[in-house]
Amino acid sequence: MKKSNDKFVSLSKQRSVLVLFCIGFVYLLLMSLEIPLFLKTATSLSSLPSELNNNINGFLPFQLDSEEELQNKESPIKPKDHIPFRVAQKTSFHLIQQQQQPKRKLKNEYKTISGLIFQENSFNTSGGKDGFSELQKSAKHAWEVGRKFWEEVESGKIEENIGLEKKNRSELSSCPHSITLTGSEFGEKGKLLVLPCGLTLGSHITLVGRPYDAHSEHNPKIALVKDGSDSVLVSQFMMELKGLKTVDGEDPPRILHFNPRLKGDWSGKPVIEQNTCYRMQWNTALRCEGWKSKADEETVDGQVKCEKWIRDDGNRSEESKAKWWLNRLIGRTKKVTVDWAFPFEEKKLFVLTLSAGLEGYHVHVDGRHVTSFPYRTGFVLEDATGLSLNGDIEVHSIFAASLPTSHPSFEPQRHLEMSSAWQAPPLPDGPVELFIGILSAGNHFAERMAVRKSWMQSKLIKSADVVARFFVALNGRKEVNVELKKEAEFFGDIVIVPFMDSYDLVVLKTVAICEYGVREVSAKYVMKCDDDTFVRVDAVLKEAKKVPENKSLYVGNMNYFHKPLRDGKWAVTYEEWPEEAYPAYANGPGYIVSSDIAQFIVSDFEKHKLRLFKMEDVSMGMWVEEFSNKIQVEYRHSLRFCQFGCIEDYLTSHYQSPRQMICMWEKLQKKGKPQCCNMR
């Protein structure tokens, strides 16, 4: 019995020794394979610039690639020195990690900050009064302020006081549910009714007034007067909804221009003309001249655009006479109708009510519907923050009711849906067909969310064959920048260009789009659009591919022989552009350039050779023309890149509200063809 036990113990010891021997052999084998890889990796890391090594020392967790992958990687490009405006590579280990890892995670792996940066000591803002020097000064100031703002955002100091600031702001920005002004109070306020939080669905404004008698004018703009002829009797007034907070440093857009012309119109009849005006560009007017809108014409919330009134011309149409005799012959019961006069009369009191519906504005005078005007500009109801009255009218009182009590821009979280369904897919390893850069403003949370939920759900974007990113500069309100940073980190589709946003510097965002398109995603084509532009991604890509691959291209809604304005807000000095006409350029809401043009723009920007101009679409036309002096460019014009609103079979559709974006996407998915949505 004892011998058998000793034998069992001996066998157990032998097995233990054998297991230990096998473990030691495997360990030595692994070490022999790992040490060369480690030495090669250390050698490659030691060859990096010193500033990158410093960043690596301060950044702990990272993942090594395989030996084969490391051999195939290209070394980072060293940024050029002493360039006033330059597009630089990111000198942080985060960028190196992005370059080395073929598979990117959905979060914390996206390039949030644009490579577009400035060197302050290279700015030369002394002397010179040309447009370029002024733009340099604006850029320098915007960069200095923006850098400080962004440092505060990244430090987290702003969030410590954000609660108190929000509380104070909400108290200051709380808006009344209704506003009442007498005629004298309205006059004291400069004939302007301020609507602090704009309008909302169901809001209405009631005006009690009296038109003045007609007066003589020798050169009225609404009439056709021959030289040397007598004066014309004119009686008209203008009621306008304006976007007082929409723009800074320019005339506010006229969201609704309501112009009753009692006398003096070129037609010789009383008419009501309605229109919109944005950046000095008037849209097509809607004229109500006493004829009821046609039965097959599009309605607004079920209401006709123009009601009928007595035209005072003393004649009836032949159609009306024929219908009258036909009804007499067949014995049809005559339908009782009421003929109304023109709703406004000199020295006669009237009560006008303007209401905001689902699809447009509706005007009732003395309880009767007169006209409806569909929403068709790029503004939402909240943007209508002022009502002005001018012309031949005596205002007795104004009453506005059912107004929103808070502005949506103060509550950005209400527009954002923090769902992984709307997050951007990871960037692909290789080049992409098309990169779409979307210009957006910091507080445009609703617009960005609508784009994410609509055309950014395109199969080409979800599969990463096409990449789309928002390009946003910093906002003057710190809490907006804090929310913007959170939004960028969650959705992964925002590239922040760290300067203080202004219209004159939008051109810098366009350069940033080119930089990202050629260096981050190596796109074949680079497209620029706005956050209120609906894009049919597949159709746009097909349009670009119509040009042979070996040719440089510039595709969009082209303007030829467009003359610069020499006065007003959008004035262009002769120093900025000495010629009498611009080169051909595509309208800003949507255009495409080939990658070689984008690379040329970035390269010239780095060398401080690129001419910067405050109108970014014109700037692109200038750059393409300069590029075409060396390489032939194929210009491709298409009206389907719609500048104003929406047209049939569009490629892009501009001035679309968030609700319209979602509606257009749903129609495109359900019916398989592009259709417009007449709603806000």
Side-chain angles (χ1 to χ4, degrees):
M1 186 70 180
K2 186 176 180 181
K3 289 182 179 180
S4 62
N5 290 339
D6 293 340
K7 186 176 181 179
F8 178 79
V9 172
S10 176
L11 290 173
S12 300
K13 289 181 179 180
Q14 291 177 3
R15 290 175 182 173
S16 300
V17 172
L18 184 60
V19 169
L20 291 174
F21 178 80
C22 292
I23 293 174
F25 178 80
V26 171
Y27 175 78
L28 292 175
L29 181 62
L30 292 175
M31 288 295 293
S32 65
L33 295 175
E34 187 70 16
I35 288 175
L37 175 61
F38 175 80
L39 292 175
K40 187 168 292 186
T41 304
T43 303
S44 63
L45 287 175
S46 63
S47 64
L48 292 173
S50 60
E51 60 177 321
L52 295 181
N53 280 323
N54 294 334
N55 288 332
I56 294 172
N57 293 333
F59 193 101
L60 283 179
F62 64 93
Q63 181 179 354
L64 292 172
D65 289 326
S66 67
E67 182 177 3
E68 182 181 355
E69 289 171 339
L70 287 171
Q71 289 177 345
N72 293 333
K73 291 295 178 183
E74 295 181 0
S75 59
I77 300 175
K78 183 178 179 181
K80 298 184 179 181
D81 297 326
H82 308 296
I83 301 173
F85 293 105
R86 66 189 183 94
V87 180
Q89 303 296 315
K90 251 189 173 178
T91 56
S92 68
F93 185 77
H94 179 66
L95 180 58
I96 301 171
Q97 196 177 31
Q98 285 182 334
Q99 292 174 342
Q100 291 181 347
Q101 294 182 5
K103 293 184 179 180
R104 305 181 184 218
K105 297 180 180 179
L106 194 60
K107 295 182 182 179
N108 301 325
E109 292 293 333
Y110 294 96
K111 182 176 180 180
T112 303
I113 302 298
S114 169
L116 190 70
I117 64 172
F118 309 97
Q119 290 182 334
E120 292 180 53
N121 56 3
S122 299
F123 282 101
N124 179 17
T125 57
S126 61
K129 296 183 179 180
D130 60 3
F132 185 66
S133 298
E134 292 300 320
L135 194 61
Q136 278 188 321
K137 293 177 183 178
S138 299
K140 180 178 184 296
H141 176 71
W143 165 248
E144 290 173 348
V145 177
R147 183 189 61 181
K148 294 177 182 177
F149 269 47
W150 186 246
E151 288 175 354
E152 291 179 358
V153 170
E154 287 196 312
S155 67
K157 294 180 181 179
I158 296 179
E159 292 191 71
E160 297 177 2
N161 301 322
I162 203 72
L164 180 60
E165 289 185 10
K166 281 187 177 180
K167 182 179 179 181
N168 294 336
R169 185 175 293 276
S170 63
E171 292 174 356
L172 293 173
S173 61
S174 59
C175 303
H177 184 265
S178 61
I179 302 174
T180 304
L181 292 178
T182 64
S184 57
E185 291 173 337
F186 182 71
E188 291 171 0
K189 293 180 179 291
K191 297 183 178 180
L192 179 67
L193 172 65
V194 176
L195 307 167
C197 293
L199 301 176
T200 188
L201 184 66
S203 296
H204 55 89
I205 302 172
T206 300
L207 162 69
V208 181
R210 187 196 313 269
Y212 290 136
D213 282 332
H215 62 281
S216 298
E217 286 190 19
H218 291 278
N219 188 25
K221 296 182 179 179
I222 62 174
L224 300 176
V225 181
K226 296 181 180 179
D227 295 336
S229 64
D230 294 335
S231 61
V232 177
L233 289 176
V234 176
S235 178
Q236 65 165 336
F237 66 91
M238 286 72 68
M239 180 179 69
E240 294 181 331
L241 282 174
K242 296 183 176 182
L244 302 180
K245 298 181 180 180
T246 305
V247 294
D248 184 21
E250 61 185 84
D251 292 337
R254 296 170 174 89
I255 298 173
L256 171 64
H257 172 80
F258 180 79
N259 177 205
R261 301 174 178 179
L262 288 70
K263 288 183 179 180
D265 184 71
W266 56 266
S267 65
K269 302 295 179 183
V271 301
I272 296 175
E273 185 167 294
Q274 299 166 92
N275 208 341
T276 57
C277 181
Y278 179 53
R279 290 179 180 168
M280 299 177 65
Q281 299 294 322
W282 286 96
N283 210 323
T284 303
L286 170 64
R287 286 174 59 90
C288 296
E289 302 177 292
W291 305 111
K292 189 171 183 176
S293 300
K294 297 179 181 179
D296 58 348
E297 190 173 350
E298 189 177 24
T299 60
V300 184
D301 294 318
Q303 300 274 18
V304 295
K305 294 179 181 178
C306 296
E307 295 285 0
K308 179 183 177 182
W309 60 71
I310 301 173
R311 286 175 50 86
D312 240 359
D313 50 13
N315 61 343
R316 293 178 177 268
S317 66
E318 293 299 324
E319 182 183 2
S320 298
K321 293 178 182 179
K323 285 183 178 180
W324 185 84
W325 280 108
L326 180 62
N327 290 334
R328 290 273 301 201
L329 289 172
I330 65 178
R332 182 176 297 173
T333 303
K334 183 178 180 180
K335 184 179 179 180
V336 178
T337 59
V338 179
D339 293 331
W340 299 91
F342 186 69
F344 304 100
E345 187 177 339
E346 298 167 67
K347 300 180 67 175
K348 181 182 178 181
L349 203 67
F350 67 85
V351 179
L352 180 151
T353 300
L354 171 68
S355 58
L358 183 65
E359 298 178 349
Y361 297 105
H362 306 282
V363 176
H364 290 74
V365 180
D366 297 335
R368 185 173 69 91
H369 176 257
V370 174
T371 179
S372 292
F373 186 72
Y375 302 123
R376 62 182 186 186
T377 65
F379 302 99
V380 295
L381 287 170
E382 291 83 359
D383 291 327
T385 51
L387 179 89
S388 68
L389 276 163
N390 294 289
D392 308 317
I393 183 175
E394 176 189 0
V395 178
H396 285 232
S397 63
I398 295 182
F399 174 69
S402 299
L403 303 175
T405 55
S406 63
H407 197 284
S409 63
F410 298 147
E411 304 172 15
Q413 64 277 8
R414 65 180 277 188
H415 295 291
L416 298 179
E417 295 182 21
M418 297 300 189
S419 169
S420 60
W422 314 126
Q423 290 177 322
L427 292 177
D429 297 337
V432 300
E433 286 285 326
L434 173 67
F435 173 67
I436 304 176
I438 311 164
L439 294 192
S440 184
N443 60 347
H444 285 195
F445 299 98
E447 286 81 356
R448 288 191 291 273
M449 198 67 235
V451 173
R452 292 186 187 105
K453 295 171 69 175
S454 58
W455 61 266
M456 277 182 72
Q457 294 300 306
S458 166
K459 291 181 180 178
L460 289 172
I461 293 180
K462 300 301 287 185
S463 64
D465 292 329
V466 175
V467 174
R469 292 291 184 269
F470 297 99
F471 284 75
V472 189
L474 298 179
N475 192 275
R477 288 170 47 202
K478 296 181 180 179
E479 64 269 31
V480 171
N481 297 326
V482 171
E483 296 295 333
L484 178 65
K485 181 174 181 289
K486 294 177 182 178
E487 181 188 1
E489 291 173 347
F490 182 84
F491 292 104
D493 57 11
I494 295 178
V495 179
I496 298 174
V497 190
F499 66 88
M500 293 305 297
D501 208 353
S502 71
Y503 179 76
D504 286 357
L505 298 178
V506 168
V507 63
L508 298 180
K509 294 184 189 177
T510 304
V511 179
I513 289 174
C514 293
E515 183 266 342
Y516 196 100
V518 298
R519 290 187 171 169
E520 288 297 314
V521 294
S522 300
K524 187 176 182 181
Y525 309 107
V526 177
M527 178 179 182
K528 176 264 169 184
C529 69
D530 297 337
D531 61 8
D532 60 350
T533 300
F534 188 94
V535 180
R536 289 175 57 207
V537 180
D538 54 343
V540 164
L541 186 56
K542 287 180 182 178
E543 188 72 15
K545 288 185 175 181
K546 290 179 180 179
V547 178
E549 291 189 6
N550 59 343
K551 287 189 176 182
S552 304
L553 64 86
Y554 184 26
V555 181
N557 191 339
M558 294 293 175
N559 292 286
Y560 296 98
F561 309 109
H562 192 137
K563 294 185 178 181
L565 299 173
R566 298 302 184 184
D567 53 21
K569 171 62 184 176
W570 309 108
V572 177
T573 65
Y574 283 97
E575 288 79 10
E576 292 173 317
W577 187 254
E579 305 296 331
E580 290 301 320
Y582 292 130
Y585 71 92
N587 287 323
Y591 57 78
I592 310 169
V593 295
S594 50
S595 59
D596 54 350
I597 295 177
Q599 181 62 55
F600 165 78
I601 292 169
V602 175
S603 176
D604 269 21
F605 191 83
E606 289 178 336
K607 300 172 185 176
H608 196 202
K609 293 170 57 180
L610 190 69
R611 184 177 184 181
L612 300 177
F613 188 54
K614 61 185 178 183
M615 300 170 70
E616 71 84 20
D617 49 1
V618 177
S619 295
M620 180 59 71
M622 295 178 182
W623 302 335
V624 174
E625 184 187 53
E626 185 177 351
F627 177 84
S628 66
N629 292 331
K630 303 175 182 177
I631 300 176
Q632 185 178 1
V633 177
E634 181 162 339
Y635 288 70
R636 193 173 188 88
H637 169 63
S638 175
L639 292 174
R640 295 167 67 198
F641 289 89
C642 188
Q643 167 74 355
F644 296 105
C646 179
I647 61 173
E648 185 179 355
D649 196 29
Y650 61 86
L651 292 173
T652 65
S653 181
H654 192 215
Y655 288 147
Q656 300 304 303
S657 72
R659 292 183 64 232
Q660 284 175 308
M661 288 277 195
I662 303 299
C663 173
M664 293 172 73
W665 175 249
E666 290 176 349
K667 287 187 175 182
L668 190 61
Q669 296 303 298
K670 291 178 181 178
K671 300 184 179 180
K673 58 181 181 180
Q675 289 186 333
C676 303
C677 292
N678 183 30
M679 65 168 66
R680 301 302 298 171

